Amino acid sequence: MKKTLLVTVAALSLLALAACGQKSSDATTGKSSESKTEKITVAGSTALQPLVEANVESFTQENTNLQITVQGGGSGLGLSQVSTGAIQIGNSDLFAEEKNKDLATKVKDHKVAVVGFAPIVNKDIKTDGLTTAQLKDIFSGKVTNWKEVGGQDQKITIINRAEGSGTRFNFEKYGLDNTQVVKASEQDSSGAVVQMVSQTPGAISYVAFSNIKDTVKALEIDKVKPTEKNVATNDWKIWSYEHMYTQKENTTEGQEKFIKAVTSNKKLLEKLGYLAIDDMKVSRDQDGKVK
């Protein structure tokens, strides 16, 4: 009987110790100091992805209770998945209303930056710029050789972003005036586009300023250079707001805190090729109207 009693007491003691190891209390308040980890998955726009990824490490070092995973997939994916709760933050180069008006009622918009988009070509192309008319003729298939627009005698190879891409949407809307584009090779990410253009003779495509590398060449349009300064004044018209969307009825303090960190890091914005929203000299609504 004594042996059984001793075993029971020992077992209870071990359970008590284990409980103490799992949770601690503040000596003055008596409240548990245990903190739960909040997991936040961010996905969508690959134009915004470099900025979001660049903020993760420093932010999570200061906010150890937040675990953040960043993925691409395109603006369409970001918007659709955040609206259903499959992810916590959806990155988009589009206003939600431009994608789907019903979807827009389910999400909360956080504008974090502005980014320009530019046509890029293989570095061997012997032209530094095009007119808007020439750009339309290339992407609609009317012009198929670089010699027709001031370059060398070489076939033009078009590389597009996939349907659902915010980069593609904005380039076609503001760069091509929604001209019907010819069917061409499609890539799922801006990184893949840059790689393909750099490796393909005669290639042309388009990416956000934040994705332009020295392995490709960005072109002027109508003698206007693709720079942040020209975006700010709308002299360079191919640009968009960068949005981070959350669920309207389920936005957490942790999500808001991370989004604020992305928005407020102006030095990083400039370094990576974005503009702070308050540096813009104009504004533009979801219908494309500029003020």
Side-chain angles (χ1 to χ4, degrees), residues 51-75:
L51 177 63
V52 177
E53 286 180 333
N55 278 280
V56 170
E57 185 176 356
S58 60
F59 179 80
T60 51
Q61 283 177 349
E62 295 179 4
N63 299 272
T64 55
N65 63 316
L66 296 176
Q67 182 179 317
I68 299 172
T69 303
V70 183
Q71 303 166 356
S75 296

Short mmCIF file of all heavy atoms in Angstrom, two decimals, residues 51-75:
data_model
loop_
_atom_site.label_atom_id
_atom_site.label_comp_id
_atom_site.label_asym_id
_atom_site.label_seq_id
_atom_site.Cartn_x
_atom_site.Cartn_y
_atom_site.Cartn_z
N LEU A 51 10.19 43.28 -51.97
CA LEU A 51 10.07 44.20 -50.84
C LEU A 51 9.58 43.48 -49.60
O LEU A 51 10.11 43.68 -48.50
CB LEU A 51 9.11 45.34 -51.18
CG LEU A 51 8.83 46.36 -50.07
CD1 LEU A 51 10.12 47.08 -49.67
CD2 LEU A 51 7.77 47.35 -50.50
N VAL A 52 8.59 42.63 -49.76
CA VAL A 52 8.04 41.90 -48.61
C VAL A 52 9.10 40.97 -48.02
O VAL A 52 9.31 40.94 -46.81
CB VAL A 52 6.78 41.11 -49.02
CG1 VAL A 52 6.25 40.29 -47.84
CG2 VAL A 52 5.70 42.06 -49.52
N GLU A 53 9.78 40.23 -48.88
CA GLU A 53 10.81 39.30 -48.40
C GLU A 53 11.94 40.03 -47.68
O GLU A 53 12.45 39.53 -46.67
CB GLU A 53 11.39 38.52 -49.59
CG GLU A 53 10.45 37.45 -50.13
CD GLU A 53 11.04 36.69 -51.30
OE1 GLU A 53 11.91 37.26 -52.01
OE2 GLU A 53 10.64 35.54 -51.52
N ALA A 54 12.30 41.21 -48.17
CA ALA A 54 13.41 41.95 -47.57
C ALA A 54 13.10 42.44 -46.17
O ALA A 54 14.02 42.76 -45.40
CB ALA A 54 13.77 43.14 -48.46
N ASN A 55 11.82 42.50 -45.80
CA ASN A 55 11.43 42.97 -44.47
C ASN A 55 11.25 41.86 -43.44
O ASN A 55 11.16 42.13 -42.25
CB ASN A 55 10.12 43.77 -44.56
CG ASN A 55 10.34 45.20 -45.00
OD1 ASN A 55 10.71 46.07 -44.21
ND2 ASN A 55 10.14 45.45 -46.28
N VAL A 56 11.19 40.61 -43.90
CA VAL A 56 10.81 39.52 -43.01
C VAL A 56 11.82 39.30 -41.89
O VAL A 56 11.45 39.21 -40.71
CB VAL A 56 10.60 38.21 -43.80
CG1 VAL A 56 10.45 37.01 -42.85
CG2 VAL A 56 9.37 38.32 -44.69
N GLU A 57 13.10 39.19 -42.23
CA GLU A 57 14.11 38.81 -41.22
C GLU A 57 14.18 39.81 -40.07
O GLU A 57 14.11 39.43 -38.89
CB GLU A 57 15.48 38.67 -41.87
CG GLU A 57 16.53 38.16 -40.90
CD GLU A 57 17.89 37.93 -41.55
OE1 GLU A 57 18.00 38.09 -42.79
OE2 GLU A 57 18.84 37.59 -40.82
N SER A 58 14.32 41.10 -40.40
CA SER A 58 14.45 42.10 -39.34
C SER A 58 13.17 42.19 -38.52
O SER A 58 13.21 42.37 -37.30
CB SER A 58 14.79 43.47 -39.93
OG SER A 58 13.78 43.90 -40.83
N PHE A 59 12.01 42.04 -39.18
CA PHE A 59 10.74 42.15 -38.47
C PHE A 59 10.54 40.98 -37.51
O PHE A 59 10.15 41.18 -36.35
CB PHE A 59 9.58 42.20 -39.47
CG PHE A 59 8.23 42.29 -38.82
CD1 PHE A 59 7.75 43.51 -38.36
CD2 PHE A 59 7.45 41.17 -38.65
CE1 PHE A 59 6.51 43.60 -37.74
CE2 PHE A 59 6.20 41.25 -38.05
CZ PHE A 59 5.73 42.47 -37.59
N THR A 60 10.82 39.77 -37.95
CA THR A 60 10.59 38.60 -37.09
C THR A 60 11.62 38.51 -35.97
O THR A 60 11.35 37.89 -34.94
CB THR A 60 10.59 37.30 -37.92
OG1 THR A 60 11.77 37.24 -38.73
CG2 THR A 60 9.36 37.22 -38.81
N GLN A 61 12.79 39.12 -36.15
CA GLN A 61 13.76 39.16 -35.06
C GLN A 61 13.24 40.00 -33.90
O GLN A 61 13.49 39.72 -32.74
CB GLN A 61 15.10 39.72 -35.56
CG GLN A 61 15.91 38.72 -36.36
CD GLN A 61 17.19 39.32 -36.91
OE1 GLN A 61 17.40 40.54 -36.87
NE2 GLN A 61 18.07 38.48 -37.44
N GLU A 62 12.48 41.04 -34.23
CA GLU A 62 11.91 41.91 -33.21
C GLU A 62 10.54 41.42 -32.73
O GLU A 62 10.08 41.82 -31.66
CB GLU A 62 11.79 43.33 -33.75
CG GLU A 62 13.13 43.99 -34.05
CD GLU A 62 12.96 45.40 -34.61
OE1 GLU A 62 11.81 45.87 -34.68
OE2 GLU A 62 13.98 46.02 -34.96
N ASN A 63 9.90 40.60 -33.53
CA ASN A 63 8.56 40.10 -33.21
C ASN A 63 8.60 38.57 -33.28
O ASN A 63 8.11 37.96 -34.24
CB ASN A 63 7.52 40.66 -34.18
CG ASN A 63 7.44 42.17 -34.12
OD1 ASN A 63 6.70 42.74 -33.33
ND2 ASN A 63 8.21 42.83 -34.97
N THR A 64 9.18 37.96 -32.26
CA THR A 64 9.46 36.53 -32.29
C THR A 64 8.20 35.66 -32.23
O THR A 64 8.27 34.46 -32.48
CB THR A 64 10.39 36.15 -31.11
OG1 THR A 64 9.79 36.60 -29.88
CG2 THR A 64 11.75 36.81 -31.28
N ASN A 65 7.07 36.25 -31.91
CA ASN A 65 5.82 35.48 -31.87
C ASN A 65 5.13 35.41 -33.23
O ASN A 65 4.07 34.80 -33.37
CB ASN A 65 4.84 36.10 -30.86
CG ASN A 65 4.42 37.50 -31.25
OD1 ASN A 65 5.25 38.31 -31.65
ND2 ASN A 65 3.14 37.80 -31.14
N LEU A 66 5.75 36.02 -34.26
CA LEU A 66 5.18 35.99 -35.60
C LEU A 66 6.08 35.19 -36.54
O LEU A 66 7.28 35.42 -36.61
CB LEU A 66 5.01 37.41 -36.14
CG LEU A 66 4.03 38.31 -35.38
CD1 LEU A 66 4.03 39.71 -35.95
CD2 LEU A 66 2.62 37.74 -35.41
N GLN A 67 5.48 34.26 -37.25
CA GLN A 67 6.20 33.43 -38.23
C GLN A 67 5.63 33.76 -39.61
O GLN A 67 4.44 33.55 -39.87
CB GLN A 67 6.00 31.95 -37.91
CG GLN A 67 6.75 31.01 -38.86
CD GLN A 67 6.53 29.55 -38.48
OE1 GLN A 67 6.58 29.20 -37.32
NE2 GLN A 67 6.26 28.72 -39.47
N ILE A 68 6.49 34.29 -40.50
CA ILE A 68 6.01 34.79 -41.79
C ILE A 68 6.64 34.00 -42.93
O ILE A 68 7.85 33.85 -43.01
CB ILE A 68 6.32 36.29 -41.94
CG1 ILE A 68 5.60 37.07 -40.83
CG2 ILE A 68 5.89 36.79 -43.31
CD1 ILE A 68 5.97 38.53 -40.76
N THR A 69 5.79 33.52 -43.83
CA THR A 69 6.22 32.82 -45.03
C THR A 69 5.76 33.60 -46.25
O THR A 69 4.60 34.01 -46.33
CB THR A 69 5.60 31.40 -45.09
OG1 THR A 69 5.95 30.69 -43.91
CG2 THR A 69 6.08 30.64 -46.31
N VAL A 70 6.69 33.85 -47.19
CA VAL A 70 6.36 34.66 -48.37
C VAL A 70 6.48 33.80 -49.63
O VAL A 70 7.46 33.09 -49.83
CB VAL A 70 7.30 35.87 -48.49
CG1 VAL A 70 6.90 36.74 -49.69
CG2 VAL A 70 7.28 36.70 -47.22
N GLN A 71 5.44 33.88 -50.47
CA GLN A 71 5.39 33.13 -51.73
C GLN A 71 4.98 34.06 -52.85
O GLN A 71 4.46 35.15 -52.62
CB GLN A 71 4.40 31.97 -51.61
CG GLN A 71 4.69 31.01 -50.48
CD GLN A 71 3.52 30.09 -50.18
OE1 GLN A 71 2.45 30.20 -50.76
NE2 GLN A 71 3.73 29.15 -49.25
N GLY A 72 5.17 33.62 -54.10
CA GLY A 72 4.71 34.38 -55.27
C GLY A 72 3.36 33.87 -55.73
O GLY A 72 2.46 33.65 -54.93
N GLY A 73 3.23 33.68 -57.04
CA GLY A 73 2.00 33.13 -57.59
C GLY A 73 1.19 34.08 -58.43
O GLY A 73 0.31 33.67 -59.18
N GLY A 74 1.44 35.40 -58.30
CA GLY A 74 0.69 36.37 -59.09
C GLY A 74 -0.42 37.05 -58.30
O GLY A 74 -0.93 36.50 -57.32
N SER A 75 -0.79 38.25 -58.74
CA SER A 75 -1.79 39.04 -58.03
C SER A 75 -3.14 38.35 -57.95
O SER A 75 -3.84 38.42 -56.92
CB SER A 75 -1.96 40.40 -58.72
OG SER A 75 -0.78 41.15 -58.65
#
